[in-house]
Amino acid sequence: MREELARAYAFLARGDMGGTRTEPSHCGRAVYTDELPRRLDGNYLWVDQAAEPGELAAEAARLERRLIFVPDPAIGMRLVPWFAERGWRVDRHLVMVQLREPDRTADLSLVRELGEEALRPARRRLLEHEPWAKPEVVEQLFRAKALIGERVTTRFFGIEVDRVVVSYTDLYTDGADAQIEDVGTLPEHRGRGYASAVVLAAIEAARASGAVFVCLVADAEDWPKELYRRLGFDEVGHYTKFFAPGT
């Protein structure tokens, strides 16, 4: 595993994908956030040892985990056919690191640092069409921001139009490491460079605070990865998530 990918995973483990307790497993570890059980990124089985897919499914069931997280790209891809055939949802995410200067600029004067709650109306709008985004799940996603803030420094950036947040991102930092997370722009405000502006403003803030390593995660099947490439990010690896049927 290349160094940048391992560094990104270490940051995810102590920040966005951290939990309040773990239990050991022969294939890795189970992560629990008991106070927020519906937020799966804080409740999952982290697999770092190769195993047969049926064995992993059984281990996830024993540990009462409905999400299996496989950080090793090769192991994850080998598991995909078995889980897909049995109705598990399979998501692949690219881990990207800013390794060069951006190919595009944006008007950073539009961006303000805001409180987390100011971003919630926009987040709700972008989540409302997701089949899994039940009200109780969304509320736990919001509450998780405070828990993440107990592990790493969290900051929030947005662009407002008529006093309404229309584009936003989170920034997580810890010493020399930083992550851009949860970038979103309301549909009617896209195509105006807002997403570029909030991401570049967050990166500028991260660098000013001492970060030398800035990473993010992008859906492998969605268009934002192309935007991130124009902002200086390159893929260093990918991980696979397996969601149990009905999740």
Side-chain angles (χ1 to χ4, degrees):
M1 182 181 297
R2 61 185 290 179
E3 178 183 353
E4 296 94 342
L5 183 59
R7 187 169 182 174
Y9 285 151
F11 188 78
L12 287 172
R14 67 182 188 269
D16 187 46
M17 294 189 69
T20 51
R21 66 182 177 94
T22 62
E23 289 191 17
S25 166
H26 67 275
C27 59
R29 64 186 181 275
V31 177
Y32 297 81
T33 306
D34 296 316
E35 57 270 61
L36 299 175
R38 302 297 298 276
R39 180 181 182 263
L40 293 185
D41 277 347
N43 294 278
Y44 58 93
L45 176 63
W46 180 306
V47 174
D48 53 21
Q49 298 290 331
E52 292 301 314
E55 180 183 357
L56 292 177
E59 182 70 350
R62 182 184 72 82
L63 294 163
E64 299 182 318
R65 303 297 78 192
R66 298 187 59 78
L67 167 62
I68 299 174
F69 173 82
V70 184
D72 187 289
I75 294 175
M77 293 308 294
R78 286 199 300 270
L79 296 171
V80 167
W82 190 95
F83 281 100
E85 288 170 3
R86 287 156 180 80
W88 289 60
R89 189 176 94 234
V90 179
D91 289 351
R92 188 167 66 92
H93 296 267
L94 307 181
V95 179
M96 307 182 77
V97 176
Q98 193 184 43
L99 298 174
R100 52 190 168 77
E101 290 297 315
D103 297 333
R104 66 184 302 176
T105 59
D107 185 358
L108 304 194
S109 69
L110 299 171
V111 183
R112 293 179 55 207
E113 186 165 357
L114 302 166
E116 183 274 321
E117 291 188 0
L119 278 56
R120 292 185 180 187
R123 293 195 211 268
R124 280 196 177 94
R125 275 201 56 194
L126 293 180
L127 288 171
E128 62 186 7
H129 299 299
E130 297 288 348
W132 52 264
K134 305 296 189 292
E136 62 273 20
V137 175
V138 173
E139 290 307 314
Q140 290 196 16
L141 295 181
F142 293 161
R143 288 168 55 197
K145 302 296 182 182
L147 281 182
I148 295 167
E150 295 176 3
R151 300 190 288 262
V152 296
T153 299
T154 55
R155 300 170 67 181
F156 306 93
F157 298 84
I159 292 175
E160 296 177 300
V161 175
D162 297 328
R163 293 186 291 184
V164 174
V165 174
V166 301
S167 186
Y168 60 84
T169 191
D170 303 349
L171 170 66
Y172 304 152
T173 60
D174 184 24
D177 297 333
Q179 179 191 359
I180 305 297
E181 170 63 12
D182 199 10
V183 182
T185 302
L186 298 183
E188 64 271 25
H189 292 277
R190 290 173 183 165
R192 303 177 189 181
Y194 290 168
S196 295
V198 294
V199 171
L200 290 174
I203 293 169
E204 183 178 88
R207 301 292 188 193
S209 72
V212 297
F213 178 84
V214 181
C215 65
L216 57 78
V217 173
D219 188 330
E221 309 304 326
D222 208 353
W223 63 267
K225 63 181 183 293
E226 303 303 332
L227 168 66
Y228 302 140
R229 288 190 176 109
R230 294 195 293 272
L231 298 181
F233 288 85
D234 292 317
E235 179 184 348
V236 297
H238 72 265
Y239 61 74
T240 312
K241 289 180 173 180
F242 301 92
F243 297 84
T247 299

